[in-house]
Amino acid sequence: MSLSLDATQLDRYSRHVILDDVGPEGQKRLLDARVLVVGAGGLGAPAIQYLAAAGVGTLGIVDDDVVERSNLQRQVIHGDGDVGRTKVDSAADFVADLNPDVDVERHELRLDASNARELIAAHDVVVDCSDNFATRYVVNDAARIEGVPVSHGAIYKFEGQVTTLSPEGPCYRCLFPEPPEPGTVPDCASTGVLGVLPGTVGCLQATEAVKLLIGAGEPLVGRMLFYDAMDLSFETVPYARNPDCPVCGDDGIDTIDGIDYAAGCQIDAA
Ligand SMILES: [Zn+2]
């Protein structure tokens, strides 16, 4: 734990420091925090941008992709000169330029059952900015076992959803016990996505992560926020823990060894 904010930090974070619900203590918590951002794409870009600006001291960034020109319509931390570079390198350069207080740990890999638990356990909060069901379910399952909260977001065409999975609250599988069959839900490369949509959703995810870290406000636990960009509407739907949930239910799992996430991550009923 850093002892106190130095003069540069008092200046940089002055609008946080004067807030009652953040203050110097909250800012120090942010500076001492470790957040894992899974995916440095459409959702990850705004999440990384605002978490870095807020002074989250360590950002673990997971991505195994390279920047493509078609990403730039929405993935705002990457620039034209980054096309062809790895997203973790491009993201790390962006963060270094924005805020030297932030250490970026680069994880150029795909999160899967073999590495998820160890990576997640080393962080205080996970921001799930992944774009596929296999990663989303492995994040949920591993974070639940490790007791790490997750700020979840997902987007489709003009719509987004956000929820927060706390170790004490319902998990993603309480809502959606099993993922759809692989290949049945098209990705944004084949359907398209409104470029500003992930900006809104990723910022909401970063908001939840910051709240969790400073311990302020009411997190989006047990509530799914649905956002429709076309009529600019937000709707919040409550959901409860499912005692029959394959992960956090009464007969839930305590390991993800042996679950084939690439094949659809079905968990046999206990
Ligand atoms: Zn559950």
Side-chain angles (χ1 to χ4, degrees):
M1 183 104 179
S2 54
L3 292 174
S4 59
L5 303 174
D6 64 30
T8 308
Q9 290 173 329
L10 283 171
D11 187 15
R12 177 184 292 273
Y13 307 116
S14 58
R15 303 303 190 273
H16 270 168
V17 170
I18 59 175
L19 279 174
D20 288 342
D21 287 321
V22 185
E25 290 305 317
Q27 188 60 51
K28 276 188 280 182
R29 263 186 230 140
L30 293 174
L31 286 162
D32 289 327
R34 297 177 52 83
V35 172
L36 187 68
V37 181
V38 181
L43 297 171
I48 289 166
Q49 199 168 28
Y50 277 96
L51 293 171
V56 170
T58 303
L59 283 178
I61 300 178
V62 185
D63 203 298
D64 68 344
D65 229 348
V66 298
V67 179
E68 296 176 35
R69 189 158 280 108
S70 62
N71 299 152
L72 304 181
Q73 161 252 25
R74 62 198 179 282
Q75 301 184 15
V76 293
I77 59 173
H78 310 301
D80 202 65
D82 296 314
V83 172
R85 300 181 71 206
T86 67
K87 288 190 182 177
V88 287
D89 283 348
S90 172
D93 285 354
F94 178 91
V95 171
D97 185 51
L98 175 61
N99 189 349
D101 284 343
V102 182
D103 291 324
V104 170
E105 294 178 354
R106 306 171 199 210
H107 304 285
E108 195 186 334
L109 50 83
R110 181 160 280 259
L111 203 76
D112 61 25
S114 74
N115 56 32
R117 284 184 62 179
E118 191 178 349
L119 256 179
I120 287 172
H123 295 83
D124 302 305
V125 174
V126 179
V127 184
D128 181 7
C129 300
S130 62
D131 61 357
N132 65 86
F133 285 100
T135 307
R136 193 169 299 156
Y137 278 80
V138 81
V139 166
N140 177 75
D141 300 356
R144 174 59 49 143
I145 292 170
E146 296 297 339
V148 177
V150 177
S151 176
H152 160 87
I155 51 173
Y156 184 73
K157 292 183 178 177
F158 302 98
E159 295 168 19
Q161 61 180 43
V162 184
T163 191
T164 297
L165 313 166
S166 87
E168 299 79 29
C171 83
Y172 191 72
R173 286 197 195 252
C174 291
L175 262 183
F176 307 111
E178 306 291 354
E181 288 296 313
T184 57
V185 178
D187 62 17
C188 77
S190 48
T191 61
V193 61
L194 189 69
V196 299
L197 173 70
T200 305
V201 173
C203 279
L204 291 170
Q205 292 179 261
T207 306
E208 283 293 283
V210 168
K211 284 164 56 190
L212 290 170
L213 292 171
I214 63 176
E218 199 56 50
L220 199 57
V221 173
R223 296 181 291 149
M224 180 68 84
L225 175 72
F226 293 96
Y227 168 52
D228 184 331
M230 286 313 238
D231 33 283
L232 220 299
S233 63
F234 290 88
E235 188 183 1
T236 308
V237 178
Y239 64 97
R241 183 173 160 269
N242 173 7
D244 297 323
C245 173
V247 169
C248 76
D250 299 337
D251 298 313
I253 58 172
D254 56 12
T255 177
I256 56 173
D257 293 346
I259 302 175
D260 186 352
Y261 286 88
C265 39
Q266 312 285 329
I267 295 179
D268 294 331

